[in-house]
Each structure stands twice: as C-alpha cells, then as structure tokens.
Amino acid sequence: MYQIILAALAYLGFNNTPTPHICQQWDALHPKLHARLAAELDGVYASPDFKQNTYNALSGAVRIPTESRDDSGPVGQDPVWYPFADLHDYLQETFPTVYDKLNVTRVNTYGLVFHWQGSTDAKPLLSTAHQGSPINLYLSLSSPTITSQMSSLSILPLLLSGSTPHTPGDFDGTWIWGRGTSDDKGDLIQKLIVVDTLLKRGFSPARTVVLAFGFDEETTGREGAGHIAAYLEEKYGHDSFAMILDEGGDMADYGDGVYFALPSLSEKGYLDVRIQVATLGGHSSTPPKHTSIGYLAQFITTLEENPHIPQLYRNGTPFFSTMCLAEHSPSFPDQLRTIARRAISDDAALEDLKRNLLKLSPATSAILGTTQAADILEGGVKVNALPERAAVIVNHRIAEHSSVAELQQHLTQVLLPVARKYDLTLSAFGHVVFTGQAGNVSISEEYNSALEPSPVTPTGPGPYSVLAGTIKATMESSTFYNVTNVVVAPSLSLGLYLACSSLHLRLIYSSRQYWCDVVGYFILPHWWLTYHLLDTQFYWNLTRHIFRFSPFTSADYYNGFHTVNEALRAEALIEGIRFHTNFILNLDESSLP
C-alpha cells in the first residue's frame, strides 16, 4: 500500500479550475485499414527465428561501449565519441534495408536521422531514442582511486561483489545483459526492427516517419539532440510534427491484472545557482565576527528555512495522476480515495488531499513543488588565513507550474534580508539589489543551466488518444503479460540532468527503491517518474504533443538503469516491437493533421 500511495504523489499542475474529465480512458485502438498486416506481423514476431534475431541485434549493439562522461568534450575534440562510429557501422550492417530505403542523415557526425517519406502531407511522426549510455560505474569502482574514496561506505563490498558473471550482450534465455539494454539501446533497436520489418513487408506509409537518435543524452544532450533539433526545425519547420515519442515512463503491475501505463507529459525545469560571498582576507589570529564562510552559512540556513511551497492544482499533471490511481487502482487506500473524489470540486478536500500526500514521504515535496539542494561548497585555502571567498552551488528542479524567473525572484527576496542584516552588497542575477560595506554577495546562474519547465502535452482526442489506445490494444492482446485492464495515466519527469540510480542495490530491489549517487538517498519507485532530462528538451519547437514512454513494465528491468547487472527481459523486447508496430500503423491511418 505504501508504494501505491507514493505513486499518487508523482505529479503537479496549474490552477484550481475543476476539470470535466478526470482520468479519461480511451478504447483499445487496433489498426483497421492495416488489420491484416498487423495480424501477419503478430505471427512473425512470435516465431523463434524472429525472436532470436531480435535478441542478437540488441546484444550486438550493447557490446559496443558507446559511453559518455559528464566532462565529455565537443565532437571532433574528445575521443570519447569515436566508438559511436563503430555503432553506426554495426547498425548499417544489421539493417541494410533501412539504410537502403530511407534517407539517412548524420547530424554533428554521430547524430542519426532516418527519413521515411510518406505519400501525404500529414504531419510526420518523430520517434526518438539515444545511442549512448553513462560510463560503467561498476568498472570505475574497480579503480584504486575511487575504491579508496569509497572505502568508508558499507555498501562498497556489496557493489564490488554484486556484479554477475555476464559479459555485455549475453543472453541467458531470459535476460539480455549489458550497459544500455534498458537505457536506451532497447528502444533504439526496437524502432529500427519495426521499420525494417514493415519495409520488408512492402508497407509504404501515408504519414512520414522520422527516427532521430542522439548520442549524449546521458550528459547534456547538446551535441546530439541539440543539433538534431535545429536540423529538423530547419528542414520541416516550427510545429511541423504531429507528435514525438521518446523514451520515458513505463508500465507497472498493480495486481488483479490491472496495469498502469505512465507516459510522461511534462518535465520539471532546472537551474543551478551559485551564491558567492567575498570579504577581506587576513590572518586568522585576528578574525572578524563573521568570515565569508560564516556569512555563507547564514545564507544557506536562510534558504533551507524557506523552502518552496508544494502545490497540488486541479489542472496539473499530479492531480490527474492521483485521480487515475484513486479511480482505477485496486490497492489505493479507501480513505484517500474518498478524499480524492471530493477534491475534484471541494477546495477544502483538495487541501486535505495535499496534506495527506505530503505526510507520506519527504519525496512528496519534490513532486509537488520546486526543490533546492545545496550540493557543492567552496571556500578557504589555509587553516590560518581568513577566507576571502566562499561559495555554494544550489541545485533546483523547477515545478511544472513555476518558472526560472519566479525562482530567481524567490531567491532574491529570501536572501535580501540576510544581506541587509550583515551590510553586504547583494547582486542578484546581474542586478545590484542592495549596497553594503562589509563585503559582497552575488547570486548567479551556474553552468549555463537554466531550463524552463517543459510545455505540458495536451490530453484528449488526438495524439494522446492514439497513443493511449495503442498501449491498451497492445497490452490487452499480449500473450506474455497477464493483463485484464490497462489504465493510461499521465506522469511527470523530475528533470535531473544526470540520471539518478547510479547504483541500484539488488539488496533493496524488493522494496522498489533506489540508492542514488552512492551516498545519496531513497527516492520514489522508478516507474512513476523519469529521473533525468530527456532529449525532448530540445524538441519543444517541433510540436506540442511530446510523449515520453517506453513499452516495458517495471519487472522487465533486471536491476534498473545505469547500474551493475543492467539487463532487459528479452520477451519484453518483442512486446515493445508489437507496440511500435501498432503505433505506426494506427497513426498512419488516423485523421490527425
């Protein structure tokens, strides 16, 4: 029950206007004009030969270590990108029909764009994935430097002993092993196999299909999707795509045959902020009342004493998601279900619902509001020298209903009284707010990191209903999953630049929790949230209809993402191919512009 309640926290919104349709569900959508082709392909996909060829295709891709680092340099300057050329050679050898029939464009050397021209002027589908994966942390743990730094952690022996004997690309009859199987070569290979199979069956789309594969999503995405987005906008124009389907939220089994599918419809914004204090130096034997580090401590304390207020709005993603759980989850607590139903139109009940959700876990605030975390400290160079400078870098994930400007205003208003109290000149985001005599404090953006919360994808008839109907049709007709009902509910991406769950301990997997960044903290179950900014952050100009969804269930990942023992259930790969096939066929025969 605890996990069900936590899942209900995963979303936020805009205002308190009641909505007429709460958790609207759509009928299963099967191809009609292409019904015979879809049935034939279901038979093909069930054959042992096809399955083995599919497993081999993913295994081969995983064996090529296309990894990126946080400090990776630009293409053409950093050799970290060279293995991507090997992956390109492999893809061309594995899918010669795709490369022969489609127009393939390389963007910024390693970005791949496949153009499959349709026969009509309907807006194209853009289906995306990424080629890269984060550097293998397990291998990094083997280095003496990192091992010595982590020697005090009680989890280190578990990490170093927890790796399976499988080598990248191994298939043991159930799982395909290796870094990138779950994130995101499984998605990439699925999409190429679907296009390859449709081509070989003589299918010619009415609606143009574009596949776009970036390569640095695990760092910033700027070298890959950043360049691809500019290329696509120049070629096709602004708002030129019917919809975008990228990796993202997956599916979860809620018991009694009920599965929740969780496409992410929005992502939180992002801002790293540097707060820096500068004062006169000197010898520590004659110190002032406060050093720059002391002043900085006051600013940090004040910031943490004034967190952002979580909000649950009726027109927001979290409210819709909570309503879906209340209406359809067989395990949702009855008392909370009653409150949720009243909250549709009762303001007092809405506040009561938020209050109950916030009591459940500290993580709730991260879902319902802007978060702040003082993560990096700088200051002091010698024990007997007064520090002339001290700084902290504070990480923010901006709520769906907020903005970069609102966050900057909040920081200025909260910290201004501290600057006045200690007579420090305050400069906030390029503007002098207060002039003092004791020193200087500046608040500024760090790392060129500012990113607004994403636009929220509309729900209702149109692209969303095509996606939802296809998910239901594919899952409910599956012979692999034991499904009686599929509920499609919107979800939210938390917007971490770098994926959390760097180390996912098998020891705690049964509780559906993750250990983040080795010494981190427990967070919400992964299937309700996307933990990092996806390549879609660069594609906002191409369409309003952006969906982040991977057609896997939580049980299809052996050990999560970015971790030791990463593996994808092989049969799930086939189910994903069924989904992407139906999706292309359904969208092709839809009346969408």
Side-chain angles (χ1 to χ4, degrees):
M1 182 173 71
Y2 177 71
Q3 297 299 333
I4 301 297
I5 299 174
L6 282 182
L9 312 181
Y11 319 100
L12 23 359
F14 296 125
N15 59 56
N16 286 345
T17 304
T19 53
H21 300 290
I22 304 298
C23 195
Q24 182 173 3
Q25 296 298 297
W26 302 91
D27 293 337
L29 183 63
H30 297 272
K32 295 182 175 61
L33 298 177
H34 304 301
R36 177 177 294 181
L37 174 60
E40 291 175 355
L41 290 178
D42 256 356
V44 170
Y45 298 155
S47 70
D49 286 347
F50 179 88
K51 290 184 178 182
Q52 189 60 56
N53 289 336
T54 296
Y55 306 157
N56 292 343
L58 178 56
S59 294
V62 169
R63 292 190 182 103
I64 301 170
T66 49
E67 298 178 346
S68 55
R69 309 180 309 267
D70 296 350
D71 60 349
S72 298
V75 169
Q77 299 179 24
D78 193 331
V80 72
W81 307 118
Y82 294 165
F84 286 82
D86 298 331
L87 178 63
H88 291 188
D89 291 341
Y90 172 77
L91 294 177
Q92 188 161 2
E93 292 169 3
T94 306
F95 302 103
T97 303
V98 174
Y99 277 79
D100 182 53
K101 299 293 186 181
L102 271 58
N103 179 14
V104 183
T105 303
R106 288 172 172 80
V107 180
N108 196 23
T109 307
Y110 299 114
L112 290 174
V113 179
F114 298 81
H115 305 257
W116 193 4
Q117 185 60 44
S119 60
T120 71
D121 59 359
K123 287 185 174 182
L125 162 68
L126 177 58
S127 188
T128 64
H130 63 86
Q131 308 165 53
S133 57
I135 193 165
N136 193 319
L137 184 57
Y138 173 73
L139 297 180
S140 300
L141 289 172
S142 302
S143 75
T145 300
I146 294 182
T147 299
S148 65
Q149 292 173 348
M150 297 178 59
S151 60
S152 63
L153 296 177
S154 60
I155 64 170
L156 182 58
L158 175 60
L159 291 170
L160 293 178
S161 64
S163 180
T164 70
H166 298 284
T167 58
D170 277 358
F171 172 52
D172 65 4
T174 301
W175 302 95
I176 302 171
W177 296 87
R179 180 57 55 88
T181 51
S182 302
D183 182 20
D184 182 40
K185 288 179 179 175
D187 275 314
L188 185 150
I189 292 298
Q190 281 180 338
K191 294 177 180 185
L192 285 173
I193 287 176
V194 168
V195 171
D196 183 66
T197 306
L198 288 172
L199 284 169
K200 290 176 179 176
R201 288 276 161 168
F203 175 74
S204 181
R207 183 185 302 272
T208 295
V209 176
V210 178
L211 306 181
F213 303 147
F215 55 90
D216 64 335
E217 187 266 359
E218 301 295 354
T219 55
T220 66
R222 293 178 182 132
E223 292 287 304
H227 285 262
I228 291 173
Y231 163 76
L232 291 174
E233 187 169 3
E234 181 180 358
K235 181 176 178 63
Y236 288 97
H238 182 84
D239 192 27
S240 54
F241 286 83
M243 61 192 301
I244 296 173
L245 180 61
D246 191 21
E247 63 163 328
D250 52 19
M251 298 178 285
D253 181 0
Y254 270 66
D256 297 337
V258 177
Y259 278 72
F260 272 70
L262 306 157
S264 176
L265 304 188
S266 64
E267 296 180 85
K268 294 184 77 173
Y270 190 100
L271 184 67
D272 289 320
V273 172
R274 171 180 284 268
I275 303 171
Q276 181 167 299
V277 179
T279 57
L280 292 176
H283 199 278
S284 296
S285 62
T286 55
K289 185 176 181 179
H290 297 290
T291 68
S292 60
I293 293 176
Y295 286 130
L296 182 65
Q298 298 295 322
F299 284 108
I300 295 173
T301 299
T302 300
L303 194 62
E304 293 191 341
E305 289 176 346
N306 292 271
H308 299 263
I309 299 174
Q311 300 290 353
L312 180 64
Y313 291 135
R314 288 195 182 98
N315 273 7
T317 307
F319 184 77
F320 292 139
S321 304
T322 304
M323 292 303 105
C324 286
L325 283 162
E327 185 174 348
H328 296 287
S329 170
S331 302
F332 198 82
D334 287 339
Q335 181 179 3
L336 200 58
R337 196 192 312 272
T338 300
I339 296 173
R341 287 170 176 166
R342 287 171 37 221
I344 294 174
S345 58
D346 186 327
D347 290 348
L350 182 66
E351 281 300 307
D352 191 19
L353 177 61
K354 184 181 78 170
R355 186 165 50 251
N356 276 275
L357 297 178
L358 288 168
K359 289 179 181 178
L360 295 172
S361 167
T364 308
S365 293
I367 311 306
L368 300 183
T370 296
T371 61
Q372 57 189 25
D375 290 331
I376 298 176
L377 278 173
E378 303 170 359
V381 295
K382 200 172 186 297
V383 72
N384 63 349
L386 298 176
E388 297 177 346
R389 183 187 63 84
V392 61
I393 299 175
V394 184
N395 174 261
H396 298 86
R397 313 304 164 93
I398 305 171
E400 184 184 86
H401 60 267
S402 187
S403 66
V404 171
E406 186 175 54
L407 171 58
Q408 292 175 336
Q409 183 180 18
H410 170 84
L411 290 169
T412 304
Q413 291 176 343
V414 167
L415 298 181
L416 176 59
V418 182
R420 290 183 186 275
K421 177 179 178 179
Y422 294 106
D423 198 29
L424 297 168
T425 294
L426 174 62
S427 175
F429 304 104
H431 301 283
V432 176
V433 181
F434 174 77
T435 301
Q437 303 299 320
N440 297 281
V441 57
S442 64
I443 311 171
S444 61
E445 176 186 342
E446 188 76 347
Y447 308 132
N448 191 29
S449 59
L451 181 70
E452 297 288 352
S454 74
V456 180
T457 297
T459 58
Y464 182 81
S465 62
V466 173
L467 176 69
T470 303
I471 293 171
K472 288 178 67 71
T474 304
M475 285 293 290
E476 291 174 359
S477 63
S478 170
T479 59
F480 178 69
Y481 299 113
N482 182 24
V483 177
T484 58
N485 183 36
V486 175
V487 179
V488 181
S491 67
L492 167 73
S493 170
L494 280 185
L496 283 76
Y497 260 128
L498 304 178
C500 207
S501 321
S502 294
L503 296 172
H504 174 196
L505 303 186
R506 188 68 178 173
L507 180 67
I508 61 173
Y509 184 69
S510 61
S511 66
R512 306 297 192 192
Q513 292 175 312
Y514 279 84
W515 185 277
C516 294
D517 298 333
V518 185
V519 293
Y521 48 89
F522 293 113
I523 56 178
L524 291 178
H526 81 276
W527 52 73
W528 283 99
L529 299 168
T530 303
Y531 294 121
H532 56 98
L533 290 169
L534 303 173
D535 280 344
T536 52
Q537 65 178 291
F538 299 100
Y539 297 145
W540 298 350
N541 284 348
L542 299 178
T543 181
R544 296 174 59 222
H545 304 280
I546 300 177
F547 303 98
R548 307 152 187 91
F549 176 74
S550 297
F552 303 124
T553 73
S554 53
D556 294 327
Y557 305 114
Y558 180 83
N559 203 31
F561 313 95
H562 301 191
T563 180
V564 296
N565 304 340
E566 182 176 337
L568 180 68
R569 193 187 305 273
E571 195 67 35
L573 201 62
I574 305 302
E575 292 300 313
I577 288 170
R578 293 182 62 241
F579 163 77
H580 286 295
T581 299
N582 290 333
F583 184 64
I584 287 178
L585 296 179
N586 278 333
L587 191 60
D588 194 70
E589 60 187 52
S590 76
S591 59
L592 297 179

